[in-house]
């Protein structure tokens, strides 16, 4: 492996267990590596998580340490962490009382970010901005609401809560995964709507929140009447629409390139090249370490300094939340927010 560079590269990969192996430390030095994504298998209890993130940081200080930690059924760290509500629960709270729903959404963002940051995690891929059409099992209760305006309002509060603790938000799955039944983890979803329909509804939260998001993750969904490629491999969706029409200036992440929805692009190197060429700053390779090694050994992308700077800017900013678990446990803003959420989780 080549020695570490000062700025992160375009590949986000994972590690096997509760501790770093010697081989994994070596892999993290590769200049194409820009971050590590953690899963439930990497978590036993809070002290172990802090030790793991410290080890990753020691091995390569500039890496982004990330996790899919939304709440509800997508929460990787559970015992010792606050059980966060699924985002649909926030939509249901809004339906009872909009002010209450918005307050709960901000509290959810604050608790999520404060707990992650206190354990050395830099980023969660949240919030989900997909609309709840009631047809997608993989999205389901991960979405706030069916109405774009409500989803936007609640997502804005989650983003504000994340920011209060110093974390940036990553909106997903652009331009929208909620209207297709197929699960892109195991199938290739196809959406038959035209651009105007998608623009009028699904894109609304991304458009209105583009300036507040640190990152966006596109969907492995083919909008067959708009572009034959999945959105994450489409220059039209990522460059013309997301960068151009929406003016988004943050990091574009691919969704996991080992998912079935990415298989249309070919092997792992072809998938990474297609995603990167379409406009993704960082590509995710999860749960297949042999494919991650193949990609690092065989892919030679041109990585721009502007893209590296965008990735570097995702690191946590100074926030009001304490950055260690002991101090966090005594911070009244956090404990009040945590207690308020318990009725929703």
């Amino acid at each position: 492996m080549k020695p570490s560079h000062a700025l992160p590269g375009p590949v986000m990969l994972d590690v096997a267990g509760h501790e770093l192996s010697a081989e994994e430390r070596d892999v993290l030095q590769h200049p194409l590596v820009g971050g590590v994504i953690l899963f439930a298998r990497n978590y036993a209890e809070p002290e172990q998580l802090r030790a793991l993130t410290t080890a990753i940081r020691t091995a390569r200080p500039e890496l982004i340490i990330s996790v899919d930690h939304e709440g509800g059924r997508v929460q990787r760290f559970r015992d010792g962490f606050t059980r966060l509500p699924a985002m649909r629960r926030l939509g249901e709270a809004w339906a009872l009382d909009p002010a209450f729903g918005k307050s709960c959404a901000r509290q959810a963002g604050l608790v999520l970010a404060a707990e992650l940051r206190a354990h050395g995690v830099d980023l969660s891929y949240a919030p989900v901005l997909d609309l709840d059409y009631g047809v997608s099992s993989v999205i389901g209760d991960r979405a706030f609401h069916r109405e774009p305006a409500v989803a936007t309002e609640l997502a804005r509060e989650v983003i504000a809560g994340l920011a209060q603790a110093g974390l940036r938000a990553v909106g997903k799955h652009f331009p929208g995964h909620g209207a297709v039944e197929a699960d892109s983890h195991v199938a290739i979803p196809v959406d038959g709507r035209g651009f105007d329909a998608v623009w009028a509804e699904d894109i609304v939260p991304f458009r209105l929140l583009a300036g507040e998001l640190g990152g966006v993750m596109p969907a492995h969904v083919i909008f067959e009447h708009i572009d034959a490629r999945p959105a994450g491999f489409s220059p039209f969706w990522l460059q013309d629409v997301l960068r151009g029409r929406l003016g988004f200036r943050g990091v574009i992440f691919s969704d996991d390139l080992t998912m079935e929805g990415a298989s249309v692009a070919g092997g792992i190197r072809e998938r990474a090249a297609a995603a990167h060429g379409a406009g993704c700053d960082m590509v995710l390779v999860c749960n297949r370490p042999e494919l991650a090694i193949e990609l690092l050994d065989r892919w030679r992308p041109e990585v721009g300094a502007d893209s590296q700077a965008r990735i570097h800017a995702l690191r946590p900013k100074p926030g009001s939340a304490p950055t260690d678990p002991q101090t966090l446990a005594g911070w009244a803003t956090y404990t009040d927010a945590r207690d308020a959420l318990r009725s929703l989780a």
Side-chain angles (χ1 to χ4, degrees), residues 19-248:
E19 300 177 352
L20 281 186
S21 68
E23 180 182 4
E24 287 169 340
R25 286 189 177 88
D26 185 44
V27 170
L28 295 184
Q29 302 305 311
H30 196 288
L32 289 183
V33 176
V36 175
I37 179 170
L38 301 177
F39 290 91
R41 68 171 184 269
N42 301 119
Y43 181 74
E45 46 84 24
E47 289 186 7
Q48 170 270 324
L49 178 60
R50 274 185 65 86
L52 176 59
T53 59
T54 298
I56 294 169
R57 192 81 65 219
T58 300
R60 185 95 180 269
E62 67 270 22
L63 296 184
I64 301 294
I65 302 175
S66 68
V67 66
D68 254 336
H69 195 83
E70 305 166 6
R73 57 194 161 99
V74 182
Q75 180 167 340
R76 307 307 186 197
F77 313 141
R78 292 183 179 269
D79 293 342
F81 275 69
T82 300
R83 185 64 60 92
L84 297 167
M87 295 300 99
R88 181 186 285 167
R89 295 286 289 124
L90 300 175
E92 292 168 350
W94 183 94
L96 294 174
D97 180 348
F100 174 65
K102 290 170 63 175
S103 173
C104 290
R106 185 175 291 241
Q107 290 164 334
L110 172 64
V111 171
L112 187 162
E115 291 184 345
L116 291 183
R117 191 173 185 195
H119 292 84
V121 180
D122 301 319
L123 187 74
S124 176
Y125 299 101
V128 168
L129 300 182
D130 302 302
L131 302 181
D132 186 5
Y133 285 89
V135 299
S136 174
S137 60
V138 72
I139 300 301
D141 65 359
R142 298 166 65 193
F144 292 104
H145 206 271
R146 170 63 181 84
E147 293 300 320
V150 178
T152 300
E153 199 170 343
L154 292 171
R156 179 171 281 122
E157 295 299 323
V158 171
I159 292 167
L162 292 169
Q164 189 175 349
L167 265 60
R168 303 301 305 277
V170 179
K172 60 187 185 184
H173 305 81
F174 178 82
H177 197 310
V180 290
E181 183 176 355
D183 178 352
S184 56
H185 292 85
V186 296
I188 302 172
V190 177
D191 192 318
R193 294 176 297 163
F195 181 81
D196 288 347
V198 180
W199 178 265
E201 297 209 77
D202 300 64
I203 291 180
V204 170
F206 294 96
R207 175 171 57 83
L208 296 179
L209 298 170
E212 302 171 43
L213 295 169
V216 164
M217 179 177 285
H220 288 320
V221 174
I222 297 174
F223 293 82
E224 60 181 347
H225 297 303
I226 304 171
D227 192 321
R229 293 161 291 196
F233 299 143
S234 167
F236 170 76
W237 284 116
L238 301 188
Q239 297 295 333
D240 295 357
V241 180
L242 183 56
R243 293 284 193 212
R245 300 194 196 190
L246 272 60
F248 177 65

Side-chain angles (χ1 to χ4, degrees), residues 318-342:
S320 57
T323 57
D324 68 276
Q326 291 74 27
T327 309
L328 179 63
W331 186 40
T333 301
Y334 159 75
T335 56
D336 289 348
R338 179 196 61 195
D339 293 345
L341 289 175
R342 283 181 172 155

Side-chain angles (χ1 to χ4, degrees), residues 265-289:
I268 191 62
R269 185 173 58 169
E270 290 75 22
R271 298 179 194 191
H276 192 255
C280 290
D281 296 288
M282 181 166 275
V283 300
L284 277 68
V285 184
C286 307
N287 304 309
R288 294 288 301 275

